[in-house]
Amino acid sequence: MQTNHKEVVTKETLVTVERIGPRTSVTKRPVISKATGEIAGTSQKIQNSPSAKRRRGQELNANVNGLANLETLQVGNFESHVEDIKQLLSLKIQCFKAGNISTFYSTWLELTSDPEVLYTVQDQSIEFTTTPYQDQVPVQKKFSAEESNIIQCEINKLLQKEVIKSTSYEPGQFISAIFLRPKRDGTHRMILNLKKLNESVKYDPFKMDTLWMVIRMMKHNCYMASVDIKDAYYSVPIADTDQKYLTFEWRGILYKFTCFPNGLALCPRKFTKLLKPVYCYPRKKGHLSSGCIDDSYLQGDGYQDCLANVLDTTKLIHWGSYFI
């Protein structure tokens, strides 16, 4: 049986779109070593200093023939620039800082006039039904030595990205416990236990795309791909006045989140609404797609159609200052 396959770059993985007989499948393999920062197939390492990152970014932009934020990238010249694009996107991921979409507010004004979306882009306040009150700090579960090391590593990463910052006592603050959840890539995510705080958070029902909706989109012999947003929630800032409700203590130090944390009741709805104008534009161009928080499903009748969908979606997400 003849097998044709093409490769599409998203996030930190290479998406292989395959057509095998009447079936289509998508597989992923890593292209960047998280342990070494090394790009697969090369011996070059990306330097960590800010000046080196800026220089490397300039070089990479030059290497893709002046592709300004990927805007001029087309299906026809995509394959000749794969390696440079992978490194460019990897570098941007490494330079990520929390709440970054707020610095691109003027760009969002071109995408939408929805006041709720624009308010979220600037700095989202937590909408409460009642003022949160805490008469005692919750008891933190005991972690093993290995778990404690993982938590400390995660805290260090979050501090570097400015997702959290150390703080001091504030009147009315709300301190939550933390716990770990494993991720699909073998790493862990540190999450605030916001169950108690969520009792005071306003919740509005909303609709999300479902697996059944995606299945109904599929056609015989179609090609499929996915674009994932890196650190999706962390892109959205939380208002300074409300960060005191998102605090936790670790090893005698008090920290607070500066952006959307995992576990806050309002985040799924707000983020889903935030992405609606982003996915609207590719659909206007005739692309088939479905988004669910930080994941997306993209479809095309043929390889070229699917790749065009990936490129248009990637450009728009990149333009809105998400990292893919």
Side-chain angles (χ1 to χ4, degrees):
M1 182 180 295
Q2 184 178 4
T3 300
N4 297 320
H5 89 278
K6 297 287 184 178
E7 296 175 330
V8 180
V9 179
T10 68
K11 196 182 173 183
E12 295 171 311
T13 60
L14 199 61
V15 176
T16 302
V17 184
E18 294 186 341
R19 182 177 176 183
I20 307 173
R23 297 177 301 164
T24 302
S25 66
V26 178
T27 57
K28 298 181 181 181
R29 68 177 188 270
V31 296
I32 300 170
S33 168
K34 293 185 178 180
T36 64
E38 203 170 282
I39 308 299
T42 72
S43 59
Q44 182 179 11
K45 293 183 179 180
I46 297 177
Q47 301 299 317
N48 292 323
S49 69
S51 59
K53 287 179 180 178
R54 285 193 294 271
R55 288 197 303 272
R56 184 59 184 149
Q58 293 169 355
E59 293 169 4
L60 289 170
N61 275 317
N63 287 341
V64 292
N65 296 331
L67 294 176
N69 290 329
L70 309 179
E71 286 300 315
T72 60
L73 187 63
Q74 302 296 329
V75 172
N77 65 357
F78 172 80
E79 292 187 7
S80 61
H81 294 310
V82 167
E83 290 303 318
D84 290 324
I85 295 166
K86 286 192 298 186
Q87 294 183 47
L88 180 61
L89 293 177
S90 174
L91 177 66
K92 289 182 176 295
I93 289 171
Q94 293 184 40
C95 295
F96 172 84
K97 294 298 180 185
N100 60 297
I101 65 169
S102 63
T103 61
F104 289 80
Y105 183 74
S106 59
T107 300
W108 282 86
L109 285 173
E110 298 180 43
L111 282 176
T112 181
S113 59
D114 188 320
E116 183 179 356
V117 171
L118 295 175
Y119 176 66
T120 302
V121 169
Q122 283 187 305
D123 57 350
Q124 177 68 53
S125 295
I126 303 177
E127 299 165 355
F128 293 110
T129 55
T130 58
T131 302
Y133 174 75
Q134 188 175 49
D135 54 4
Q136 62 180 9
V137 177
V139 177
Q140 178 64 61
K141 66 161 284 190
K142 292 184 179 180
F143 296 102
S144 67
E146 181 182 4
E147 290 173 328
S148 295
N149 288 335
I150 291 173
I151 290 173
Q152 188 60 59
C153 288
E154 288 303 303
I155 287 176
N156 292 341
K157 291 177 185 177
L158 296 178
L159 285 169
Q160 184 179 14
K161 296 177 181 180
E162 299 178 5
V163 172
I164 62 174
K165 61 182 179 181
S166 59
T167 185
S168 55
Y169 175 79
E170 298 179 56
Q173 74 179 12
F174 204 97
I175 301 175
S176 299
I178 56 175
F179 61 95
L180 287 174
R181 279 290 178 268
K183 297 167 64 176
R184 287 178 294 181
D185 60 5
T187 60
H188 291 77
R189 178 179 286 116
M190 188 195 73
I191 302 176
L192 283 179
N193 185 349
L194 296 173
K195 182 178 180 180
K196 192 66 178 176
L197 180 69
N198 282 334
E199 293 177 1
S200 301
V201 176
K202 181 183 178 182
Y203 177 79
D204 294 317
F206 69 102
K207 292 183 179 180
M208 295 177 66
D209 287 358
T210 64
L211 179 60
W212 176 241
M213 294 173 63
V214 170
I215 292 174
R216 292 179 64 184
M217 288 170 54
M218 294 179 182
K219 300 178 181 179
H220 183 65
N221 282 345
C222 70
Y223 283 73
M224 299 170 281
S226 177
V227 174
D228 301 330
I229 302 175
K230 177 73 173 176
D231 291 329
Y233 274 9
Y234 298 159
S235 300
V236 187
I238 286 285
D240 291 345
T241 53
D242 286 353
Q243 292 175 11
K244 66 181 181 180
Y245 299 113
L246 305 173
T247 63
F248 68 96
E249 188 175 4
W250 178 252
R251 292 179 173 173
I253 301 176
L254 197 63
Y255 299 96
K256 64 181 179 182
F257 274 78
T258 64
C259 53
F260 274 17
N262 291 284
L264 185 60
L266 63 83
C267 291
R269 177 184 175 275
K270 292 293 184 181
F271 198 84
T272 298
K273 190 172 181 63
L274 194 63
L275 285 182
K276 280 191 174 182
V278 175
Y279 286 118
C280 178
Y281 280 77
R283 288 169 182 164
K284 285 182 178 179
K285 298 182 73 171
H287 296 312
L288 291 174
S289 62
S290 176
C292 182
I293 309 297
D294 59 347
D295 293 322
S296 66
Y297 169 82
L298 311 178
Q299 181 178 305
D301 290 341
Y303 170 73
Q304 297 294 322
D305 292 333
C306 187
L307 181 55
N309 194 351
V310 170
L311 291 181
D312 288 338
T313 303
T314 298
K315 288 176 187 178
L316 199 56
I317 292 176
H318 183 78
W319 191 51
S321 195
Y322 291 112
F323 291 81
I324 57 176

